[in-house]
Amino acid sequence: MTGLGWSARVWRSARADGDAITRRTSGDVVRVRWRRRVRALRWPVGMGIASWRWLRRSRQVRRRRIRTGILSEAERIPQRSGAQTQHVRQGVGLTYQRRYVVQISGSPISAAQLIQRLGGDLNAASPVEIAVFDKTSGGSRRLEVGDEYVVHMPGPWNCPVRVVERTPVSFRFATLRGHMEAGEIEFRVGDAREGDLVFTIESWARSGDRLADLLYEKVGIAKEMQSHMWAHFCRRVAEIAEGEVVGDVEIQTERSDMFRARSGNQSITRAVDAAFARSFALAARLRNRPLHPRGLVFDALLRLHGTSQHRGVPFLDDHTELRGRARLSRAVGLPPPLPDVLGLALRWPQPQADLTGDHSTAELLLAATGQTVPGRHLLRPMTRWSPAFYGSLLTYRVGDRRVLLGAVARRTRIAPADLTTLARAVDERPLLLDLVVATEFGPWEPFGELRLIGPARSDDLEPMRFNPARHPIRELHPEGLLQRARGSSYSAVQRVARHGADHRPERPSS
């Protein structure tokens, strides 16, 4: 028996002993005091166990986007009868649809029998070191429509729920007032090929209040705790079914702002967009290209090999070669002896057709930044092209996580940051960089190689312009206000540049 399994059994034993003691007392006060004391002692140790388990198993979970448009189901969730129901429309922030899926092989029981076992004792599957189900309403041990539970968790929330649907192979909870989320969650079992079972937990919910939204959406602690809880639940269900887990637990996520009050957010977005666009448009009138005025263009070969974790993004998952173009430039255009923020812009045709059947173009802009967690969001003036680190600076959304992209110019050669030296160096042999990806607080992981190939070409006469907002990488979604403002700024600059080119007098022919 593992240490963690022993700990879970201790918690369940303590809870059973507590229940036995409370049955011998005469009032609810003693029961409440007993449970509070047990839980007060349990939560610190339980959170330590949960954190250790999350670190050990986080890579055993596959994450991807749902990408089916099924999130509209949340709009069709009925207003449930009964007091205290906390509907998804009453929540705060973004609406999340999440699925936790596990395939179970070799189970001797049917889907209906598994649901019956699970409904009889939810704590048999729950990680009780952080979440304990207490039935507060309902007569029998079986789970029936109308039964109510309180899920006791560490933190300022107890999470009350009510059973609103029950079928032979599924049951569904709706959240009640005081829950950290507003919405519904369903547990169901289906049949797979060759007699396997597929157990799925699916939720449609928003944060219940602003504190929960801060911890879930902004900080991410509540989201990771939730992921750990339900992934562990899925593995335990496989044990209850007396079967084996096939592959990894998969977490599928989609999000939407369909219920969020958008007027205030739209006003802020429009104000920031306008400020950025006007500032960059004015700068473009003074200098045709406000940033990165001069650069060199190279042929680019991207050799992708994927990462250890499937992310649902072809650019990060595929094993393939892509050919495109790259532009290296100095942001301000200071004289080469002085440090400057170096830029690396990439453009390539995406190999998979989009919904219209076209093979769209993708663009990625990187700039010299730091590699550390705080440094990823800070520009870093450099005096050499290589060795150096180029990061996306701003984040992208991949499923339920934010990620940053980067390119690491290898230390095998030193290339001072002037265009003439760069052209000679790449003419001699290609400049090699490792393509990397990381979550906001995680380590960088390589997913490919970038090879810049000469000869170098100037784009002074026909500037190579980029706008990643119009040419996004498929399934990689720009995240945050500054990402949206960047697209508006680039569009404004390019409109001014086109207008100036249209009104520029023709040069007399020689």
Side-chain angles (χ1 to χ4, degrees), residues 26-74:
S26 58
D28 293 338
V29 175
V30 176
R31 179 173 66 249
V32 172
R33 286 177 179 173
W34 167 254
R35 287 184 176 176
R36 284 180 177 173
R37 289 169 183 169
V38 172
R39 285 165 187 150
L41 294 173
R42 187 182 69 216
W43 293 141
V45 179
M47 288 302 294
I49 293 173
S51 299
W52 185 87
R53 184 186 287 143
W54 176 81
L55 290 172
R56 186 169 66 93
R57 292 182 171 176
S58 60
R59 287 190 174 274
Q60 298 175 12
V61 175
R62 296 181 60 192
R63 299 174 186 250
R64 68 177 180 88
R65 291 187 61 212
I66 293 176
R67 301 197 303 270
T68 63
I70 200 169
L71 195 65
S72 60
E73 286 185 10

Side-chain angles (χ1 to χ4, degrees), residues 356-378:
T356 65
D358 295 330
H359 292 267
S360 59
T361 297
E363 294 179 350
L364 175 63
L365 299 185
L366 306 174
T369 67
Q371 287 183 263
T372 62
V373 170
R376 298 170 189 181
H377 302 281
L378 298 174

Side-chain angles (χ1 to χ4, degrees), residues 11 95 125 192 218 220 275 288 343 345 450:
W11 301 137
T95 305
K218 305 300 189 299
N288 181 262
L450 172 63

Side-chain angles (χ1 to χ4, degrees), residues 482-495:
L482 294 179
Q483 283 274 36
R484 294 191 291 271
R486 182 171 70 167
S488 302
S489 303
Y490 289 2
S491 297
V493 168
Q494 291 169 15
R495 283 196 299 271

Side-chain angles (χ1 to χ4, degrees), residues 249-443:
V249 177
E250 183 170 273
I251 301 178
Q252 305 170 12
T253 303
E254 193 59 85
R255 66 179 199 152
S256 170
D257 60 356
M258 59 181 160
F259 293 130
R260 187 165 62 177
R262 302 178 64 183
S263 57
N265 293 327
Q266 286 181 338
S267 298
I268 296 173
T269 301
R270 285 196 295 268
V272 173
D273 281 353
F276 272 79
R278 290 173 183 173
S279 299
F280 275 85
L282 177 61
R285 295 180 187 278
L286 301 176
R287 186 166 74 173
N288 181 262
R289 200 168 195 150
L291 294 175
H292 301 277
R294 297 189 61 240
L296 291 177
V297 178
F298 302 91
D299 291 330
L301 175 63
L302 295 82
R303 291 176 173 168
L304 307 180
H305 53 67
T307 65
S308 61
Q309 183 178 7
H310 180 81
R311 300 176 185 270
V313 179
F315 185 58
L316 302 178
D317 296 335
D318 287 354
H319 292 243
T320 187
E321 287 192 1
L322 304 172
R323 294 187 179 274
R325 290 189 295 168
R327 185 180 190 265
L328 284 171
S329 57
R330 297 170 63 91
V332 181
L334 298 174
L338 300 176
D340 203 339
V341 176
L342 307 181
L344 170 60
L346 295 171
R347 176 184 295 161
W348 68 92
Q350 302 192 80
Q352 297 179 359
D354 59 20
L355 295 178
T356 65
D358 295 330
H359 292 267
S360 59
T361 297
E363 294 179 350
L364 175 63
L365 299 185
L366 306 174
T369 67
Q371 287 183 263
T372 62
V373 170
R376 298 170 189 181
H377 302 281
L378 298 174
L379 295 172
R380 182 182 180 184
M382 299 288 292
T383 58
R384 59 178 183 262
W385 303 104
S386 175
F389 181 84
Y390 302 87
S392 59
L393 192 67
L394 304 177
T395 58
Y396 293 84
R397 170 71 61 174
V398 177
D400 62 342
R401 289 187 169 185
R402 296 184 181 94
V403 302
L404 295 98
L405 303 180
V408 185
R410 298 177 182 174
R411 296 181 176 273
T412 53
R413 62 191 303 189
I414 298 176
D418 68 90
L419 298 179
T420 303
T421 303
L422 175 66
R424 286 200 301 266
V426 179
D427 280 347
E428 292 176 3
R429 68 178 190 271
L431 182 63
L432 302 180
L433 303 94
D434 294 307
L435 296 171
V436 293
V437 61
T439 59
E440 286 186 292
F441 305 104

Side-chain angles (χ1 to χ4, degrees), residues 70 97-99 184-186 188 200-204:
I70 200 169
Q97 180 189 7
R98 306 194 81 188
R99 291 179 187 153
E184 299 193 357
I185 184 168
E186 181 178 80
R188 62 178 181 265
T200 303
I201 304 171
E202 185 163 14
S203 64
W204 304 264

